[in-house]
Amino acid sequence: MSDAETLFEKIIARELPADIVHETDTTLAFRDINPQASTHVLVVPKTRYRDVAELAAADPQLLADVVATAARVAELEGLDDGYRVVFNTGADAGQTVFHVHAHVLGGEQLGFFGRYTGASG
Ligand code: 5GP
């Protein structure tokens, strides 16, 4: 990665505060600052890749770690009725932080999603 550091590296380094819900050797999970569901947690690998495609190509095991942490977060948060894992990838998907992250969303019935409505970031 040659791009500038993102705020998620600062959260991983504990240079910025975050509400951390789970941590493993390779991943960190913390609450989204602007939640889009009753439960909205971000899972990041501690090593930076730009997006999920770059992560999958470079380190499939680390991608598996991210997904396993997402599942563990769902368990810890009591999302027994289901949850959604989302990797926004690129501008059209609304990716704003270019350190790959899984959104874990749940705690209520989730609507379908697709076209941008301008309702939220
Ligand atoms: P993206 O749009 O890139 O898929 O998701 C980035 C997410 O990071 C957004 O949902 C946004 O609310 C969240 N976010 C942005 N800045 C911060 C922050 O400083 N702390 C936390 N915990 N989340 C943040």
Side-chain angles (χ1 to χ4, degrees):
M1 281 303 315
S2 56
D3 297 357
E5 190 180 43
T6 75
L7 62 96
F8 291 171
E9 284 87 79
K10 295 196 171 74
I11 288 175
I12 292 163
R14 305 317 204 254
E15 292 166 13
L16 274 180
D19 186 354
I20 293 169
V21 298
H22 190 55
E23 181 169 21
T24 69
D25 287 349
T26 58
T27 67
L28 187 69
F30 51 92
R31 291 187 202 288
D32 196 293
I33 205 168
N34 182 23
Q36 302 299 312
S38 305
T39 298
H40 187 172
V41 173
L42 301 174
V43 179
V44 298
K46 291 181 179 176
T47 302
R48 181 180 175 201
Y49 294 97
R50 177 182 175 81
D51 58 33
V52 69
E54 191 178 279
L55 171 59
D59 194 340
Q61 179 57 56
L62 186 55
L63 173 56
D65 292 352
V66 169
V67 174
T69 295
R72 180 70 182 129
V73 165
E75 208 172 72
L76 292 170
E77 294 288 314
L79 305 182
D80 302 331
D81 293 330
Y83 60 94
R84 182 171 291 152
V85 179
V86 174
F87 290 94
N88 290 331
T89 306
D92 268 5
Q95 185 177 6
T96 58
V97 180
F98 290 91
H99 178 133
V100 58
H101 49 282
H103 296 257
V104 181
L105 299 148
E108 62 187 293
Q109 180 79 59
L110 299 171
F112 197 67
F113 55 89
R115 183 163 292 153
Y116 180 67
T117 62
S120 67

